[in-house]
Amino acid sequence: MTFDPELATQAYMATLKGAARARSDAYFEGGYWLILWGFLVTVGANLIVLQLGWAARLSAWARSKAGPMLAALLFAVPYLLIVTLITAPYTIYTEFFREHAYGLSNQNFAEWGGEQLIVIAADTLIAAILWMGVHAVIRRWPRGWWVGGTGLTIAVLMATITLAPVYLDPLFNDYTPLPEGPVKTEVLKLARANGVPADNVFLVDASRQSDRISANVAGMLGTTRIALNDNLMKQDINEIRAVMAHELGHYVLNHIWKLLLGMSLVIAVSLALVAAGSPWLLTRLGGNWGIAGMADPGVLPALVIVVSTVFFVATPVTNSLIRINEQEADIFAHNAARAPDSFARIAMKLSQYRKIEPGPWEEIIFFDHPSGHTRVMTAMRWKAEHLGEADVR
Ligand SMILES: [Zn+2]
């Protein structure tokens, strides 16, 4: 008897249908528009801050209080908080009400809001420190600043990734060693077989936020850890093995470094465009805004508009950078866990909130993970080519 991967994939696809499929399509396709709206909301909020003269007034106040270095920090903190306030209704709709409308959140408003306050505090602090550094570089090298600015941005990004598992993540969830039992035995077996230190594997209580099945690799430079979430813990043992093998793939294939390299290019291009375009922007509009030039720390909202535009246009590039890593991790998972049907079942469960069968361009532009169809098809092709091998589960 022959095994046809196409037919097997179609059989899996047929298990998600009717209202459930319409719902996950609607949730995910709505997300396409949110990329556009999120961009427009960011640009709008920054135009308000510039156009109403708030940036100019905040900058004058900051410069009257401190030298240029500290003035950049004094400008950035209130500016970032004002933008957060202007965009708050949009954030509350997209991240709280919309998630609830699709049954994807386990938090009430107070729990969600409390977490948001921590996120805002951390983001504001990190962004303000980054601006202090970047603005110092701009003042010193008015032409070539974007090179140093890119280096500094990557350094801050790396510091954030390194410190997050130690100082940030524990503010939202409890990370505990895996409890004794068959799951721990199997996961550690997989970890050791692939050269991943076993004491880097944790269980996280993600059901506090939602019922989403997930696991992740976080940290770098010695803080790297893999966390399996408690929603995944409730699944079948071979499904857990398949997901953990995928995460081990990210670890073993050094995806964090590849991603950083890709992001460095996107950041370098966006800052180079800012450096090239901002003199033009400021001579045209700087007068209205009361912003004299790049030496004024109040120029930040104008820079944010240009950087947001580049990142908006680069959405297919950043999505593809991540999605290619995810596809590699999937293939690693098949070779390590050797459980293609368990993998396919998990891919079907994840398709409750990710459109399962997009068109090819739709997947390239909007997907930061392979679609359910791509994942099941890859699993079934692997199965077809390893039929009858001893340890395939
Ligand atoms: Zn992944």
Side-chain angles (χ1 to χ4, degrees):
M1 202 182 89
T2 56
F3 174 78
D4 183 343
E6 287 278 355
L7 285 179
T9 303
Q10 285 315 316
Y12 272 109
M13 293 302 109
T15 61
L16 180 65
K17 54 190 175 206
R21 185 186 280 232
R23 195 178 174 79
S24 81
D25 284 2
Y27 174 73
F28 202 78
E29 287 167 4
Y32 305 165
W33 288 102
L34 295 187
I35 300 172
L36 175 65
W37 292 126
F39 163 65
L40 293 177
V41 164
T42 302
V43 170
N46 282 284
L47 280 177
I48 289 174
V49 169
L50 287 166
Q51 216 46 60
L52 297 184
W54 296 350
R57 262 185 284 163
L58 259 182
S59 167
W61 169 80
R63 280 176 289 141
S64 75
K65 292 286 171 203
M69 190 90 179
L70 207 57
L73 188 80
L74 282 183
F75 170 82
V77 173
Y79 151 71
L80 291 164
L81 293 176
I82 289 169
V83 169
T84 302
L85 266 180
I86 299 175
T87 55
Y90 178 79
T91 310
I92 293 169
Y93 163 70
T94 54
E95 292 181 22
F96 183 78
F97 288 107
R98 186 169 183 269
E99 292 296 297
H100 273 267
Y102 284 96
L104 292 171
S105 172
N106 291 340
Q107 289 183 308
N108 63 33
F109 192 76
E111 289 163 341
W112 177 82
E115 285 189 355
Q116 285 299 306
L117 292 180
I118 301 174
V119 172
I120 291 166
D123 283 355
T124 303
L125 189 70
I126 294 166
I129 291 172
L130 178 60
W131 178 234
M132 187 168 74
V134 170
H135 197 246
V137 178
I138 291 176
R139 288 195 313 276
R140 191 145 310 172
W141 295 284
R143 279 179 178 277
W145 66 267
W146 61 274
V147 180
T150 301
L152 208 57
T153 306
I154 295 297
V156 169
L157 198 58
M158 281 176 66
T160 308
I161 295 170
T162 305
L163 297 178
V166 186
Y167 296 104
L168 281 178
D169 299 345
L171 299 175
F172 304 100
N173 290 95
D174 289 331
Y175 290 79
T176 50
L178 283 182
E180 295 301 327
V183 171
K184 180 174 177 176
T185 309
E186 287 296 329
V187 168
L188 294 193
K189 226 163 91 181
L190 266 177
R192 289 193 197 96
N194 293 286
V196 176
D199 52 357
N200 289 0
V201 183
F202 290 86
L203 177 67
V204 55
D205 61 342
S207 59
R208 203 190 267 190
Q209 284 91 5
S210 81
D211 292 334
R212 291 181 190 226
I213 295 167
S214 180
N216 69 76
V217 185
M220 63 190 301
L221 301 172
T223 66
T224 313
R225 59 129 181 80
I226 295 178
L228 185 169
N229 86 15
D230 53 351
N231 300 318
L232 173 61
M233 197 74 177
K234 294 172 202 145
Q235 313 302 312
D236 166 81
I237 182 79
N238 278 311
E239 295 176 11
I240 299 176
R241 287 179 66 252
V243 175
M244 291 313 282
H246 168 102
E247 299 305 329
L248 293 170
H250 283 312
Y251 191 118
V252 172
L253 300 169
N254 290 312
H255 279 163
I256 189 77
W257 291 101
K258 293 175 187 168
L259 205 57
L260 268 174
L261 192 68
M263 288 311 291
S264 312
L265 291 176
V266 179
I267 292 167
V269 168
S270 67
L271 294 191
L273 285 175
V274 170
S278 51
W280 177 86
L281 195 68
L282 289 175
T283 38
R284 291 259 168 140
L285 297 162
N288 286 350
W289 297 338
I291 304 295
M294 294 296 284
D296 184 336
V299 77
L300 178 58
L303 268 55
V304 169
I305 290 176
V306 181
V307 170
S308 306
T309 308
V310 176
F311 269 79
F312 172 69
V313 174
T315 303
V317 176
T318 47
N319 276 344
S320 294
L321 279 174
I322 301 171
R323 196 185 57 255
I324 290 165
N325 280 355
E326 295 298 333
Q327 176 70 3
E328 279 182 15
D330 280 3
I331 290 167
F332 185 95
H334 296 314
N335 293 321
R338 304 178 70 80
D341 280 296
S342 302
F343 191 99
R345 276 194 293 277
I346 281 287
M348 294 309 297
K349 290 176 187 174
L350 297 180
S351 295
Q352 285 163 8
Y353 44 78
R354 189 179 292 134
K355 188 177 183 181
I356 192 156
E357 280 190 277
W361 281 104
E362 192 179 6
E363 188 157 353
I364 289 169
I365 294 170
F366 294 113
F367 280 62
D368 64 358
H369 279 67
S371 67
H373 181 270
T374 301
R375 297 186 114 166
V376 173
M377 187 63 212
T378 307
M380 291 303 104
R381 197 187 303 126
W382 190 95
K383 182 182 173 180
E385 290 168 352
H386 294 81
L387 272 186
E389 289 180 15
D391 57 343
V392 173
R393 310 191 193 192

